[in-house]
Every structure is written in C-alpha cells, then in structure tokens.
Amino acid sequence: MIAITQDIERVIIENFLKAKESITIVMAWFTNSDIIEALIKAKRYSNIEVNILVDDNEINNKYFTGKHKDKLKSTGIEIKSQTIRNFNHNKFSVIDNNRIITGSYNYSKKANKNLENIVVFDDINIASYYK
C-alpha cells in the first residue's frame, strides 16, 4: 500500500493509462479535464471498460456531464449519475478488478490546491467489495 500526498493527479493518470481491462470510478465531484482526457486515451488505445458514477450535483452537471458527457459517451465510456437523495461522498477507483485508489481527493482541479491524500493498493477482495 502506498500513501500519496503530492502529485496525486499524476499518480491517478499513470494508473489509468496502465489499465489492461477496466476502470470503475465513483466520485463526488469529477471536473478535472486532464483525468478525463486520460480516461478517453485509455479507452481508445486499450479498449478497456470504463464506468463512472458521479453524484448528481450542480458542479458535476455543469462541469462534468454538461461539458464532457458527449465526448466520453462517444468513446464508449459509461456514465451514471447517482440520483438517490443521499449525497455521494465516495472517492475511489478500481482498476483491473484489483487495484484500488481511494482517499480524500476528488477528481477536480480544485483538489490540486487542497491538502489531499490517496492510497493505492492491490487487493482483489477489497476491489470486489468496492465494485
């Protein structure tokens, strides 16, 4: 297990670009264009399965689904909005049904200015739980 507090965006992108089979993302706020472009690149070049669940909130509606939805969907990336009444405060990704990235970091540019953290680890049982 690796705990990371700096260059989080870079670490996430590197892990996404190494994916061989799938990436599943559950995120409260997802507005980071660089991470979105990395997902599109991973999907185009490796034809992996990519699924994203984001909270149905004003920020995501304006800056994620509103701005990037068509581009992501045309690439074959599945996007769902959590529409249940409770706020989705989860922040995690599962890569290739084994690697987990989780922590306080939302996939937003604003998160790069905050004191954030992620942990990256491989555990098929925990990955199964998250999925």
Side-chain angles (χ1 to χ4, degrees):
M1 180 179 301
I2 301 169
I4 298 160
T5 59
Q6 296 179 344
D7 296 323
I8 294 172
E9 178 183 299
R10 179 188 54 78
V11 170
I12 291 167
I13 290 171
E14 286 175 359
N15 275 276
F16 285 174
L17 294 176
K18 292 177 186 174
K20 304 273 189 251
E21 300 171 14
S22 63
I23 300 171
T24 300
I25 299 168
V26 176
M27 195 60 44
W29 291 282
F30 194 165
T31 62
N32 186 312
S33 296
D34 293 332
I35 295 175
I36 291 166
E37 289 300 321
L39 285 170
I40 291 168
K41 185 176 181 180
K43 175 66 177 169
R44 282 187 179 146
Y45 295 113
S46 301
N47 198 30
I48 60 174
E49 181 181 340
V50 180
N51 296 294
I52 303 169
L53 174 68
V54 294
D55 194 67
D56 184 19
N57 61 51
E58 185 178 321
I59 299 296
N60 284 330
N61 291 337
K62 184 174 181 180
Y63 296 105
F64 178 69
T65 53
K67 187 174 180 183
H68 300 284
K69 184 177 184 177
D70 291 339
K71 190 173 187 180
L72 289 161
K73 285 199 172 226
S74 70
T75 309
I77 294 174
E78 181 74 27
I79 303 167
K80 294 183 181 178
S81 293
Q82 180 167 306
T83 56
I84 63 172
R85 197 170 157 178
N86 296 349
F87 175 65
N88 171 25
H89 207 257
N90 288 298
K91 302 165 189 91
F92 68 86
S93 296
V94 177
I95 302 168
D96 295 337
N97 299 310
N98 184 52
R99 175 158 288 183
I100 299 104
I101 301 174
T102 188
S104 65
Y105 186 87
N106 278 294
Y107 292 0
S108 67
K109 281 294 187 183
K110 185 176 180 181
N112 291 332
K113 298 174 184 173
N114 300 331
L115 296 173
E116 303 280 359
N117 70 79
I118 60 170
V119 291
V120 180
F121 61 99
D122 296 320
D123 188 309
I124 196 165
N125 293 322
I126 295 174
S128 176
Y129 170 80
Y130 273 102
K131 285 209 60 172

